[in-house]
Amino acid sequence: MVRSEFAPLRTVAVARSQFRAPDEMSDSEASFLAPEVLPILERMLGRDHGDVYPDRQRLWESERENLCSVFERHGVEVLRPRMLTDAEKAAGGSNGYANFFVRDPWFTIGDIVIEGNLRLPHRRREVLPSRDLLTARALEGRCSYLALPQPAVPDGAPGDLGAGPFLEGGDVLVYEKRVFVGNSGLASNAMGIRWLEKLLTPLGYTVETVRLAPNFLHLDCALGLIREGLLVACPDALLDGLPAALRGWERIEISERDGVGLGTNGLPISPEVYVTDPAFRHIGDRIAAHGVTVEYVDFAITRGFGGSFRCTTQPLRRE
């Protein structure tokens, strides 16, 4: 049950730290990353991050462990997906593999758990390490558990990743019976959003597409709901401005540079507690001025891969 982005967090899955880069990366696969990360990725092409950068790998894993410690201190139940098997790694072939951002391959809206479809080839099997969690919690729980139709096979044209449908959890923000879904052209697409609307509208939900600038991968890289009536947003990323339902909220606006750096991708533990990176203390101070306690966890390596606290986590209970 996930009622909103800031309802008190009770149970959360926290991602692992596995990534093997594709043999080759297209411009679209790297277009949303900070320029300083590109040389690191170039050394990784066709190789596992831990093999290329063992010290950096240990630091990356410690970032996630430190976040788990914050959750446990606040009484949140923490679940971890398993690691990829050798067979799952091999199945990725030249596309590589990923098991590093649990937010995107599946997500929960109300009492519905949904497996999405990821656009980037190296992430298309990323749901598999979570299946044990989904079997134990979703399949056995009092909820619905659905999956999108499998995506169409691309025709082989350069840069073509197929027609989808694509729907990624980083694009999906829940606010009671309103669901906002981002579309930058890099992740979720119109077909995936239409599928979600078809599912949710009869249940009383309103699904609204939010158009994003093409250098922002997901909606949660452009907009974050902190508590009722308070949000953080990057105006340069929102092509049509804020969704109408949020325009009366108090807003903390950030620069495009901070947006690309994942300044909106903090995570509410509750309406009273918010987690972000010390690199964004200038944003955290503005959030704290609204009476919210801000927890800081260094997530520099995680952010280098294009995601931060929200991307690293997947709530199963927020109520």
mmCIF file of all heavy atoms in Angstrom, residues 32 37 50 116 123 161 180 182 202 209 211 228 232 270 284:
data_model
loop_
_atom_site.group_PDB
_atom_site.id
_atom_site.type_symbol
_atom_site.label_atom_id
_atom_site.label_comp_id
_atom_site.label_asym_id
_atom_site.label_seq_id
_atom_site.Cartn_x
_atom_site.Cartn_y
_atom_site.Cartn_z
ATOM 1 N N PHE A 32 21.735 11.716 -20.001
ATOM 2 C CA PHE A 32 21.240 12.287 -18.754
ATOM 3 C C PHE A 32 22.292 12.262 -17.648
ATOM 4 O O PHE A 32 22.009 12.683 -16.516
ATOM 5 C CB PHE A 32 19.997 11.527 -18.280
ATOM 6 C CG PHE A 32 20.221 10.041 -18.137
ATOM 7 C CD1 PHE A 32 20.659 9.500 -16.942
ATOM 8 C CD2 PHE A 32 20.002 9.187 -19.199
ATOM 9 C CE1 PHE A 32 20.880 8.145 -16.801
ATOM 10 C CE2 PHE A 32 20.205 7.827 -19.078
ATOM 11 C CZ PHE A 32 20.650 7.303 -17.882
ATOM 12 N N VAL A 37 31.153 11.924 -15.298
ATOM 13 C CA VAL A 37 30.993 10.480 -15.128
ATOM 14 C C VAL A 37 31.378 9.721 -16.402
ATOM 15 O O VAL A 37 31.743 8.545 -16.347
ATOM 16 C CB VAL A 37 29.527 10.156 -14.750
ATOM 17 C CG1 VAL A 37 29.305 8.664 -14.625
ATOM 18 C CG2 VAL A 37 29.159 10.856 -13.452
ATOM 19 N N GLY A 50 32.675 -3.481 -10.411
ATOM 20 C CA GLY A 50 33.522 -3.966 -9.329
ATOM 21 C C GLY A 50 34.859 -4.496 -9.798
ATOM 22 O O GLY A 50 35.853 -4.434 -9.063
ATOM 23 N N GLY A 116 6.974 -2.897 -14.399
ATOM 24 C CA GLY A 116 7.033 -2.066 -15.591
ATOM 25 C C GLY A 116 7.935 -2.667 -16.650
ATOM 26 O O GLY A 116 8.343 -3.823 -16.576
ATOM 27 N N ARG A 123 19.021 -2.814 -18.680
ATOM 28 C CA ARG A 123 18.206 -2.827 -17.476
ATOM 29 C C ARG A 123 16.934 -3.667 -17.621
ATOM 30 O O ARG A 123 16.150 -3.753 -16.674
ATOM 31 C CB ARG A 123 17.820 -1.388 -17.094
ATOM 32 C CG ARG A 123 19.013 -0.487 -16.830
ATOM 33 C CD ARG A 123 18.603 0.798 -16.161
ATOM 34 N NE ARG A 123 18.044 0.548 -14.847
ATOM 35 C CZ ARG A 123 17.388 1.461 -14.136
ATOM 36 N NH1 ARG A 123 17.187 2.669 -14.630
ATOM 37 N NH2 ARG A 123 16.906 1.156 -12.943
ATOM 38 N N LEU A 161 15.100 1.578 -29.764
ATOM 39 C CA LEU A 161 14.932 0.631 -28.654
ATOM 40 C C LEU A 161 13.548 0.002 -28.647
ATOM 41 O O LEU A 161 13.165 -0.648 -27.682
ATOM 42 C CB LEU A 161 15.201 1.341 -27.325
ATOM 43 C CG LEU A 161 16.628 1.884 -27.163
ATOM 44 C CD1 LEU A 161 16.782 2.604 -25.833
ATOM 45 C CD2 LEU A 161 17.654 0.765 -27.290
ATOM 46 N N PHE A 180 1.181 11.126 -11.252
ATOM 47 C CA PHE A 180 1.896 11.916 -12.243
ATOM 48 C C PHE A 180 2.950 11.024 -12.890
ATOM 49 O O PHE A 180 3.700 10.338 -12.183
ATOM 50 C CB PHE A 180 2.553 13.123 -11.584
ATOM 51 C CG PHE A 180 1.598 13.971 -10.780
ATOM 52 C CD1 PHE A 180 1.605 13.939 -9.392
ATOM 53 C CD2 PHE A 180 0.666 14.777 -11.414
ATOM 54 C CE1 PHE A 180 0.719 14.701 -8.648
ATOM 55 C CE2 PHE A 180 -0.228 15.559 -10.687
ATOM 56 C CZ PHE A 180 -0.202 15.515 -9.297
ATOM 57 N N GLY A 182 6.100 10.975 -15.751
ATOM 58 C CA GLY A 182 6.991 11.747 -16.599
ATOM 59 C C GLY A 182 7.207 11.113 -17.956
ATOM 60 O O GLY A 182 7.128 9.888 -18.114
ATOM 61 N N PRO A 202 -10.629 3.344 -13.987
ATOM 62 C CA PRO A 202 -11.836 2.754 -13.399
ATOM 63 C C PRO A 202 -11.789 2.639 -11.874
ATOM 64 O O PRO A 202 -12.824 2.452 -11.235
ATOM 65 C CB PRO A 202 -11.900 1.366 -14.048
ATOM 66 C CG PRO A 202 -11.089 1.477 -15.289
ATOM 67 C CD PRO A 202 -10.004 2.430 -14.950
ATOM 68 N N THR A 209 0.186 13.032 -17.545
ATOM 69 C CA THR A 209 1.519 13.039 -18.136
ATOM 70 C C THR A 209 2.207 14.369 -17.847
ATOM 71 O O THR A 209 1.602 15.431 -17.971
ATOM 72 C CB THR A 209 1.439 12.821 -19.657
ATOM 73 O OG1 THR A 209 0.844 11.552 -19.919
ATOM 74 C CG2 THR A 209 2.823 12.857 -20.292
ATOM 75 N N ARG A 211 5.458 16.376 -19.143
ATOM 76 C CA ARG A 211 6.524 16.414 -20.143
ATOM 77 C C ARG A 211 7.811 16.963 -19.542
ATOM 78 O O ARG A 211 7.800 17.971 -18.828
ATOM 79 C CB ARG A 211 6.107 17.266 -21.342
ATOM 80 C CG ARG A 211 4.947 16.702 -22.134
ATOM 81 C CD ARG A 211 4.799 17.399 -23.490
ATOM 82 N NE ARG A 211 4.814 18.849 -23.358
ATOM 83 C CZ ARG A 211 5.579 19.652 -24.114
ATOM 84 N NH1 ARG A 211 6.385 19.139 -25.023
ATOM 85 N NH2 ARG A 211 5.522 20.970 -23.954
ATOM 86 N N GLU A 228 2.654 17.264 2.436
ATOM 87 C CA GLU A 228 1.475 17.957 1.924
ATOM 88 C C GLU A 228 1.759 19.453 1.809
ATOM 89 O O GLU A 228 2.154 20.105 2.764
ATOM 90 C CB GLU A 228 0.284 17.721 2.854
ATOM 91 C CG GLU A 228 -1.018 18.322 2.363
ATOM 92 C CD GLU A 228 -1.647 17.533 1.232
ATOM 93 O OE1 GLU A 228 -1.502 16.298 1.222
ATOM 94 O OE2 GLU A 228 -2.292 18.155 0.360
ATOM 95 N N VAL A 232 9.814 20.161 -4.025
ATOM 96 C CA VAL A 232 11.056 20.666 -4.597
ATOM 97 C C VAL A 232 11.000 20.381 -6.097
ATOM 98 O O VAL A 232 10.575 19.300 -6.514
ATOM 99 C CB VAL A 232 12.294 20.015 -3.940
ATOM 100 C CG1 VAL A 232 12.270 18.505 -4.034
ATOM 101 C CG2 VAL A 232 13.590 20.572 -4.524
ATOM 102 N N SER A 270 8.960 10.310 6.135
ATOM 103 C CA SER A 270 7.623 10.689 6.606
ATOM 104 C C SER A 270 7.460 12.161 6.257
ATOM 105 O O SER A 270 8.404 12.790 5.768
ATOM 106 C CB SER A 270 7.510 10.473 8.127
ATOM 107 O OG SER A 270 8.284 11.439 8.820
ATOM 108 N N GLY A 284 18.718 21.303 1.368
ATOM 109 C CA GLY A 284 18.256 20.759 2.640
ATOM 110 C C GLY A 284 17.965 21.836 3.661
ATOM 111 O O GLY A 284 16.993 21.742 4.427
#
